[in-house]
């Protein structure tokens, strides 16, 4: 069954991304710390200790893991997702011009709407299959 997670978080804001890093394995003394990760557009998608270093870009959706303490989140993001609009701007949130921030926000909302539509379609398809099975007597 598809897990329909409709909670909309304001992940386009750095402080909201920071909040997602619950068990990040690196300290503030490391280059690959929570603040640098969030400023580079990443939020944590970890589900436990085994994947504690798994992160995803709020805008392009690029997922990365296997981080090392000395990794530069901006450089890694650029290396793996050079076409990401956030990476191409190359600025921290507080350095963005209003027009740049609004452009990022527009792209984020567009991506989130598409993602929710895809998840909703998957859920609808699964429910339709279940109804068909019941109608045909195949529980």
């Amino acid at each position: 069954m598809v897990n329909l997670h409709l909670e909309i978080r304001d992940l386009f804001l750095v402080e909201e991304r920071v909040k997602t890093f619950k068990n990040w394995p690196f300290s503030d003394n490391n280059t690959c710390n929570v603040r640098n990760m969030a400023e580079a557009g990443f939020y944590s998608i970890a589900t436990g200790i085994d994947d504690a270093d798994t992160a995803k870009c709020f805008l392009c959706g690029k997922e990365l893991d296997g981080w090392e303490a000395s990794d530069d989140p901006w450089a890694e993001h650029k290396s793996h997702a050079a076409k990401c609009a956030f990476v191409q701007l190359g600025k921290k949130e507080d350095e963005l011009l209003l027009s740049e921030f609004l452009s990022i926000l527009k792209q984020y909302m567009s991506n989130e709407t598409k993602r929710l539509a895809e998840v909703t379609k998957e859920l609808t398809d699964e429910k339709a299959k279940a109804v068909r099975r019941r109608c045909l007597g195949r529980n």
Side-chain angles (χ1 to χ4, degrees):
M1 179 84 172
V2 172
N3 181 12
L4 183 59
H5 190 261
L6 290 176
E7 176 185 322
I8 304 286
R9 295 186 303 201
D10 299 324
L11 294 173
F12 59 91
L13 297 172
V14 71
E15 291 306 323
E16 293 302 312
R17 293 193 298 272
V18 164
K19 292 176 189 176
T20 67
F21 290 90
K22 306 286 188 225
N23 295 308
W24 192 244
F26 308 113
S27 74
D28 291 345
N29 297 330
N30 298 120
T31 304
C32 193
N33 62 48
V34 168
R35 171 64 52 184
N36 288 345
M37 289 293 292
E39 286 178 347
F42 291 106
Y43 64 98
S44 175
I45 57 171
T47 57
I49 300 300
D50 292 339
D51 65 350
D53 73 337
T54 305
K56 183 175 184 175
C57 173
F58 80 98
L59 193 60
C60 71
K62 183 66 178 178
E63 291 183 27
L64 296 174
D65 63 6
W67 293 91
E68 296 180 8
S70 61
D71 284 342
D72 176 352
W74 276 107
E76 292 297 323
H77 198 169
K78 186 175 184 177
S79 168
H80 294 278
K83 293 185 179 186
C84 175
F86 190 68
V87 167
Q88 289 180 348
L89 284 174
K91 296 180 179 180
K92 295 179 182 178
E93 180 182 300
D94 60 353
E95 297 171 345
L96 294 173
L97 301 174
L98 179 58
S99 60
E100 293 169 330
F101 181 80
L102 292 175
S103 174
I104 293 296
L105 178 58
K106 180 181 175 183
Q107 184 66 50
Y108 173 78
M109 296 306 287
S110 175
N111 292 352
E112 192 64 11
T113 300
K114 288 175 188 173
R115 184 189 70 79
L116 289 174
E118 289 170 7
V119 170
T120 302
K121 181 187 179 312
E122 288 177 24
L123 182 61
T124 302
D125 289 348
E126 283 187 12
K127 288 189 182 242
K129 286 177 187 175
V131 168
R132 260 192 303 276
R133 282 192 303 271
R134 278 197 305 263
C135 289
L136 296 172
R138 293 185 240 150
N139 292 334

